[in-house]
């Protein structure tokens, strides 16, 4: 009989236990920080009616979704967590306390060609603050502060959170008298500017109808450097009389003031975030020593979260860590390594079946102390049982043999140092 191919589909990943343990640890650290900031966890369905899921989607999303059918109903798997959040808020707004601070950590699915950094099944860690009506800009700063504390805790190395404002960029482009149809295309070109050469950047802008002298003005704007205060000063003296520009500049000033004790937060006009639903603050998090990896966490302000699902206005600010992408990229360069054992704290080994009852009782007592404890059942050579302890990376092994049981004791062996202690059985 021919055996079935059991390899995962392309773009779907299975991790070995020691890698899964590290993945879960990082996910747990992110969730713990979400909760420390007062974000409340929710979970949304994986499957929606196709028309509901695509009502707010744009671009190539329709080509990328995984579609399902049940009877005459066309269904689809969620492709991110922002659209499900919009649906959730629209459905439950009368039961929620606003501003609604929400944490979502879960899987999403996109049926696109699997490649490095782009998987078909992936985990995202999202944090959003939703306001009924207007939402103070201070929440933008809080999201950035949350990311600062997450990446400080994860200890992946020095990082920079690069912050700008879409209103500022839009106001600047409007002051150059660009036409409406040129604005979004220009923002998209700027969003990819660091991935192309200066000449390619110039060529793309010329093709978009931006005159040579305007390109130089745009490049001077994008290249603003110095401290946050220096950049704010330079933006102010530009004295652009545009409503969006003035509002964006005011919001940037407020964020810089709130985050003055966060030296990793830097103003950077190159950050625009190409997605057109961003309307105000935008930011990206970069590892200083590994710029080629790109952003490991990003987000921004959006003014109309539920416009397709509700007549009410819900402003929001949110950010996401693509956990699967980040985990893969940082594993490749050695910043993330498999868990050094620690899959269990204690492996309890009864030498023979006669010690099984005592082993179970000991395990229950150790679990009550908060330890991760496994009991190794079955008859086998003692050396085989110790091999299992090494595979699990147990911190210590509790051994109960005939002698130990007869004397009401067990041996506790530290698997790292080899030292043994004798403890009393309860």
């Amino acid at each position: 009989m021919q055996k079935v191919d059991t390899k995962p589909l392309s773009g779907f990943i299975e991790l070995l236990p020691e890698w899964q343990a590290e993945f879960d640890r990082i996910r747990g650290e992110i969730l713990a920080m979400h909760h420390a900031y007062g974000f409340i966890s929710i979970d949304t369905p994986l499957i929606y009616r196709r028309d509901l899921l695509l009502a707010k989607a744009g671009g190539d999303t329709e080509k990328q979704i995984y579609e399902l059918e049940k009877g005459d109903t066309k269904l689809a798997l969620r492709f991110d967590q922002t659209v499900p959040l919009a649906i959730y808020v629209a459905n439950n707004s009368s039961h929620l306390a606003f501003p609604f601070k929400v944490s979502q950590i879960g899987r999403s699915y996109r049926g696109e060609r699997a490649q490095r950094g782009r998987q078909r099944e992936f985990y995202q860690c999202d944090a959003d603050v939703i306001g009924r009506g207007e939402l103070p800009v201070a929440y933008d700063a809080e999201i950035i502060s949350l990311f600062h504390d997450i990446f400080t805790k994860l200890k992946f190395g020095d990082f920079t959170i690069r912050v700008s404002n879409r209103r500022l960029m839009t106001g600047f482009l409007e002051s150059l008298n660009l036409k409406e149809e040129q604005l979004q295309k220009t923002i998209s070109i700027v969003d990819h500017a660091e991935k192309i050469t200066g000449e390619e950047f110039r060529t793309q802008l010329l093709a978009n109808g931006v005159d040579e002298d305007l390109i130089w003005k745009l490049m001077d704007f994008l290249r603003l450097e110095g401290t946050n205060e220096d950049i704010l000063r330079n933006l102010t003296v530009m004295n652009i009389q545009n409503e969006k520009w003035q509002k964006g500049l005011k919001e940037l000033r407020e964020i810089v003031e709130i985050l003055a004790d966060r030296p990793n937060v830097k103003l950077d006009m190159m950050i625009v975030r190409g997605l057109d639903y961003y309307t105000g603050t935008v930011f990206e998090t970069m590892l200083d020593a590994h710029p080629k990896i790109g952003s490991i966490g990003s987000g921004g302000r959006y003014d109309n979260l539920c416009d397709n699902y509700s007549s009410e206005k819900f402003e929001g600010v949110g950010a996401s860590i693509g956990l699967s992408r980040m985990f893969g990229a940082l594993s490749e360069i050695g910043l993330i390594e498999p868990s050094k054992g620690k899959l269990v704290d204690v492996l309890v080994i009864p030498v023979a079946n006669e010690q099984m009852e005592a082993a179970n009782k000991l395990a229950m007592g150790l679990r009550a102390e908060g330890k991760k404890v496994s009991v190794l059942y079955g008859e086998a050579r003692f050396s085989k049982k110790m091999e299992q302890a090494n595979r699990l990376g147990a911190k210590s092994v509790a051994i109960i043999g005939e002698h130990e049981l007869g004397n009401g004791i067990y041996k506790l062996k530290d698997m790292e140092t080899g030292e043994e202690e004798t403890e009393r059985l309860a």
Side-chain angles (χ1 to χ4, degrees):
M1 178 178 176
Q2 186 175 1
K3 293 186 177 180
V4 176
D5 184 0
T6 59
K7 288 186 297 185
L9 293 170
S10 176
F12 292 74
I13 295 176
E14 292 177 340
L15 298 175
L16 290 172
E18 57 270 26
W19 283 104
Q20 187 67 55
E22 183 63 10
F23 186 93
D24 291 346
R25 183 193 70 79
I26 294 171
R27 180 175 56 183
E29 297 274 21
I30 295 170
L31 179 60
M33 194 60 72
H34 284 184
H35 289 171
Y37 269 71
F39 286 76
I40 301 165
S41 292
I42 65 166
D43 199 2
T44 57
L46 282 175
I47 302 175
Y48 287 84
R49 294 197 319 273
R50 183 181 183 278
D51 62 325
L52 182 63
L53 202 60
L54 289 177
K56 195 175 174 63
D60 294 329
T61 303
E62 188 169 355
K63 300 175 185 177
Q64 297 174 351
I65 62 168
Y66 277 103
E67 296 188 47
L68 308 167
E69 286 190 17
K70 182 67 175 177
D72 295 331
T73 306
K74 291 187 176 181
L75 308 171
L77 298 180
R78 70 182 183 201
F79 53 84
D80 72 359
Q81 296 184 126
T82 302
V83 173
L85 175 60
I87 296 168
Y88 182 95
V89 170
N91 286 340
N92 299 288
S93 60
S94 62
H95 304 288
L96 302 176
F98 292 95
F100 180 43
K101 296 172 64 172
V102 56
S103 166
Q104 297 181 91
I105 297 181
R107 290 184 174 99
S108 294
Y109 297 85
R110 292 189 184 178
E112 55 189 347
R113 186 172 67 87
Q115 54 186 301
R116 194 177 195 178
R118 298 184 71 86
Q119 298 162 339
R120 291 173 172 171
E121 179 184 61
F122 52 93
Y123 267 91
Q124 288 178 279
C125 304
D126 290 9
D128 293 83
V129 186
I130 311 302
R132 198 172 208 158
E134 294 187 359
L135 183 71
V137 175
Y139 285 107
D140 298 23
E142 183 178 51
I143 287 282
I144 295 170
S145 178
L146 167 67
F147 267 48
H148 176 279
D149 289 354
I150 285 172
F151 288 108
T152 297
K153 189 170 185 180
L154 290 177
K155 297 179 180 178
F156 294 147
D158 292 339
F159 62 91
T160 300
I161 302 179
R162 305 165 68 191
V163 182
S164 187
N165 190 291
R166 280 289 288 269
R167 296 188 219 280
L168 197 76
M169 170 61 76
T170 303
F172 178 76
L173 295 178
E174 287 179 354
S175 76
L176 299 180
N177 296 317
L178 294 188
K179 297 176 182 177
E180 184 65 32
E181 59 268 21
Q182 293 176 293
L183 286 175
Q184 187 55 44
K185 178 62 177 177
T186 299
I187 288 173
S188 179
I189 294 170
V190 172
D191 188 44
H192 294 89
E194 293 180 306
K195 299 176 183 177
I196 58 178
T197 66
E199 185 56 34
E200 288 171 328
F201 179 65
R202 175 178 166 277
T203 299
Q204 290 183 21
L205 288 173
L206 287 171
N208 191 37
V210 182
D211 294 339
E212 189 82 50
D213 60 329
L214 299 185
I215 292 175
W216 285 111
K217 289 181 180 180
L218 175 58
M219 292 179 71
D220 286 343
F221 169 68
L222 296 175
R223 290 170 175 167
L224 288 176
E225 294 181 345
T227 66
N228 290 342
E229 290 72 21
D230 291 337
I231 292 175
L232 287 174
R233 193 179 306 111
N234 287 328
L235 292 172
T236 301
V237 299
M238 290 173 72
N239 196 30
I240 293 176
Q241 299 304 309
N242 175 284
E243 185 179 349
K244 292 175 185 174
W245 169 276
Q246 294 294 334
K247 186 173 182 180
L249 183 54
K250 181 174 181 281
E251 290 173 349
L252 272 187
R253 283 199 190 99
E254 186 173 342
I255 287 173
V256 167
E257 182 177 343
I258 294 172
L259 299 176
D261 63 340
R262 297 285 199 260
N264 307 60
V265 177
K266 306 286 188 183
L267 294 185
D268 190 332
M269 299 303 102
M270 290 292 294
I271 302 302
V272 295
R273 305 291 297 147
L275 298 173
D276 57 9
Y277 60 74
Y278 288 121
T279 55
T281 303
V282 284
F283 73 91
E284 295 186 357
T285 310
M286 314 288 289
L287 291 179
D288 295 352
H290 305 282
K292 290 184 179 180
I293 290 176
S295 173
I296 57 172
S298 58
R301 164 70 69 133
Y302 41 85
D303 283 344
N304 298 297
L305 175 71
C306 299
D307 53 354
N308 293 94
Y309 308 111
S310 172
S311 58
E312 285 193 80
K313 181 182 179 182
F314 293 95
E315 288 190 356
V317 59
S320 180
I321 296 171
L323 181 54
S324 297
R325 176 189 172 277
M326 181 183 75
F327 190 85
L330 300 191
S331 297
E332 284 185 8
I333 61 176
L335 281 183
I336 293 177
E337 296 182 343
S339 176
K340 302 296 186 183
K342 314 297 188 297
L343 299 181
V344 297
D345 294 322
V346 184
L347 180 64
V348 179
I349 299 179
V351 175
N353 288 337
E354 288 76 15
Q355 293 91 47
M356 197 80 69
E357 182 179 349
N360 286 332
K361 187 176 179 181
L362 173 60
M364 289 174 62
L366 293 172
R367 289 170 189 143
E369 297 174 7
K371 292 183 172 65
K372 296 179 289 185
V373 183
S374 181
V375 180
L376 189 56
Y377 299 114
E379 296 280 1
R381 295 196 311 272
F382 185 73
S383 60
K384 285 287 185 183
K385 294 185 177 184
M386 293 301 289
E387 284 179 16
Q388 179 70 352
N390 285 321
R391 288 196 189 97
L392 292 174
K395 294 179 184 178
S396 56
V397 171
I399 304 164
I400 306 176
E402 182 179 358
H403 169 76
E404 286 77 22
L405 183 60
N407 289 278
I409 60 173
Y410 67 94
K411 290 180 182 177
L412 188 65
K413 180 175 181 177
D414 187 306
M415 292 297 289
E416 185 173 336
T417 66
E419 295 179 359
E420 290 187 5
E421 297 178 356
T422 300
E423 304 284 347
R424 299 295 303 178
L425 288 169

